[in-house]
Amino acid sequence: MGPFFKKSKPWRSGQAAAEVHVAAFGKHPGWDDHIEDLGIETSLLVAIKRTLYTQGVGGNVDSGGWEKLGEKERLDGFHHAFLWHTVHGLILGRMWSSSDGKGRTRYPMVACAQVNGLSLDWAFDRVLPALENIEARCIKTPSAATVRAVIRDAEQILRRAAQGA
């Protein structure tokens, strides 16, 4: 864990039980356009997709704002991890450059996990490696069915780990 974070107590959003929800959205070659929502089961995950992807990335790409940036101001692609900590939940995610089945590359693919009732340490130790695995496996496959299975498997693994935490 980096120097900016101290050991954390379990983070709770008014919930006694540990919960993990894994989701994915964005672009992947298995879909001709945007991925149908995978695992977007909570209002927080809906809000994250809307704020980060639809309004954030989409708003800038669709308005031409991205192209208006100077070459030194613009990143070559997406390859980011993020942490979103709100009163409603903790979200860890990864975003990477991708394309849809038609070869369009302006939008990334995003995988993220909502974590409730568990410490930030637990989330960093368990969720970040799981998201790295999701990214690696999704990059390697052109199959939508495989992506669905990758997301489902990661969620099951993290939920089992959360039960024992």
Side-chain angles (χ1 to χ4, degrees):
M1 179 170 309
F4 300 106
F5 298 100
K6 295 180 180 178
K7 289 286 187 185
S8 58
K9 295 178 182 176
W11 185 88
R12 300 195 189 280
S13 175
Q15 300 173 9
E19 290 184 317
V20 179
H21 301 274
V22 178
F25 47 88
K27 293 281 190 163
H28 184 274
W31 287 265
D32 282 341
D33 203 355
H34 300 274
I35 297 169
E36 85 256 6
D37 291 347
L38 298 176
I40 309 246
E41 301 172 342
T42 70
S43 59
L44 182 55
L45 288 168
V46 170
I48 294 297
K49 180 185 177 192
R50 182 182 62 245
T51 304
L52 178 70
Y53 186 74
T54 306
Q55 295 172 345
V57 173
N60 281 292
V61 168
D62 293 344
S63 73
W66 189 253
E67 282 77 24
K68 291 176 187 173
L69 292 172
E71 193 171 317
K72 292 182 180 180
E73 298 170 307
R74 186 175 44 223
L75 297 174
D76 290 333
F78 295 96
H79 194 244
H80 312 292
F82 62 89
L83 167 67
W84 200 313
H85 192 201
T86 76
V87 297
H88 303 292
L90 172 69
I91 302 282
L92 288 128
R94 290 189 66 83
M95 177 186 317
W96 60 91
S97 296
S98 190
S99 68
D100 61 22
K102 295 180 180 181
R104 295 175 290 202
T105 60
R106 294 172 61 187
Y107 286 83
M109 182 167 175
V110 179
C112 58
Q114 179 177 342
V115 177
N116 295 332
L118 296 158
S119 72
L120 189 56
D121 293 336
W122 186 93
F124 281 171
D125 291 346
R126 299 294 184 117
V127 175
L128 287 179
L131 293 170
E132 290 173 8
N133 186 11
I134 289 170
E135 178 182 356
R137 292 178 66 193
C138 288
I139 287 170
K140 288 181 184 176
T141 184
S143 165
T146 300
V147 170
R148 286 185 198 99
V150 165
I151 300 303
R152 184 181 57 247
D153 292 349
E155 183 173 71
Q156 290 172 353
I157 290 166
L158 287 170
R159 284 182 173 177
R160 280 194 302 271
Q163 288 174 353

